[in-house]
Amino acid sequence: MIKLNMGWSGLSLHRAIFFSCLVLTILSLSTVHAMAHNVTEGDAGYIQEIWGVNLIPFMYLGAKHMVTGYDHILFLFGVVFFLYRLQHVAIYVSLFALGHSTTMLAGVYFGWNVNAYIIDAIIGLSVVYKALDNLGAFQRWFGFQPDTKAATLIFGFFHGLGLATKILDYNISPEGLLPNLIAFNVGVELGQILALYAILIAMGYWRRTVGFWRHAYTANVVMMSAGFVLMGYQITGFFVSA
């Protein structure tokens, strides 16, 4: 995987700082709505009211969650940022899907009660990690490179567990629970394919531009800043709610 050189010009650094501040400001102003893995009130009400096997509705809800889940999108964006071959994309996305599916299904089915703020803070950390990985920070600072495949799988576990904690809050009917969860997970994976397809198309065009390498550093700094904001918001929520 290609890593960015940290030795950038002052202009690039100033641009990165500017965009980071912009992202921090925007996200800070919208923290009331910035709940990772949040389920909308309408969807929550629907989940609580229905019973029995409802494959298509749960598949739709799963796809909707993935497409609108900014934390998923940010992490996927970071994962594929420097992946140029489709087989490499498939490997990493499959690892993320495996982790995400495992803990989402198991967490809801077995009723794992995990603090949502802590899980969502770790999800924010996954975004920070991926941005730092893309920037080559671990090699520069610590002299080693984490196993990117293992990290993708592990953070996938936390992403799935984050969703499970939200679904459990809405007390899905036990009748038809397993088929509905599987349908939801299928929808999540379909939504992931749609989101990934859009990301790859955009990245394909961006990589052909002259300014890609000039702006790649800025993009990852902005992504890292967004991850820190998500972490800070969730950590604050944990202490406020305690």
Side-chain angles (χ1 to χ4, degrees):
M1 188 181 297
I2 302 172
K3 306 298 178 184
L4 290 174
N5 188 331
M6 299 291 282
W8 288 75
S9 66
L11 180 61
S12 296
L13 179 60
H14 291 158
R15 186 184 295 113
I17 293 173
F18 170 76
F19 281 110
S20 297
C21 293
L22 180 63
V23 169
L24 289 170
T25 301
I26 293 173
L27 290 177
S28 298
L29 292 174
S30 61
T31 51
V32 174
H33 304 286
M35 292 295 290
H37 294 284
N38 197 27
V39 179
T40 63
E41 292 184 6
D43 292 342
Y46 179 76
I47 290 174
Q48 292 172 329
E49 291 175 0
I50 62 175
W51 56 276
V53 178
N54 295 271
L55 301 182
I56 300 301
F58 272 92
M59 191 179 300
Y60 164 76
L61 291 174
K64 178 182 178 182
H65 164 76
M66 174 56 79
V67 172
T68 60
Y70 55 86
D71 50 349
H72 287 311
I73 302 302
L74 277 174
F75 186 71
L76 279 176
F77 175 69
V79 167
V80 303
F81 200 93
F82 288 122
L83 296 179
Y84 288 84
R85 296 184 178 181
L86 288 179
Q87 57 264 41
H88 294 162
V89 173
I91 290 172
Y92 279 88
V93 173
S94 296
L95 287 170
F96 179 64
L98 175 62
H100 185 278
S101 300
T102 300
T103 48
M104 191 278 287
L105 291 170
V108 177
Y109 190 78
F110 294 107
W112 292 346
N113 187 16
V114 184
N115 188 285
Y117 288 111
I118 294 176
I119 294 300
D120 288 343
I122 295 174
I123 290 172
L125 177 63
S126 73
V127 177
V128 174
Y129 155 79
K130 198 59 221 174
L132 288 174
D133 185 43
N134 288 343
L135 291 168
F138 298 110
Q139 291 178 335
R140 175 177 288 271
W141 294 344
F142 307 110
F144 79 98
Q145 173 59 47
D147 188 328
T148 54
K149 292 186 177 68
T152 301
L153 176 63
I154 292 170
F155 281 124
F157 288 143
F158 285 106
H159 277 252
L161 194 57
L163 177 57
T165 59
K166 292 299 186 294
I167 296 177
L168 284 170
D169 289 340
Y170 297 110
N171 299 317
I172 298 179
S173 171
E175 184 173 348
L177 176 61
L178 185 57
N180 287 337
L181 286 178
I182 293 175
F184 187 91
N185 190 66
V186 170
V188 167
E189 302 313 323
L190 291 175
Q192 178 172 276
I193 291 173
L194 290 175
L196 183 63
Y197 185 68
I199 291 173
L200 291 177
I201 290 177
M203 290 296 295
Y205 281 108
W206 187 23
R207 287 166 178 164
R208 295 189 186 99
T209 64
V210 177
F212 172 71
W213 288 104
R214 191 169 64 252
H215 299 299
Y217 174 77
T218 301
N220 280 278
V221 171
V222 170
M223 183 170 65
M224 179 177 60
S225 302
F228 275 124
V229 170
L230 296 177
M231 288 177 59
Y233 179 73
Q234 299 300 334
I235 292 171
T236 301
F238 173 76
F239 285 107
V240 170
S241 63

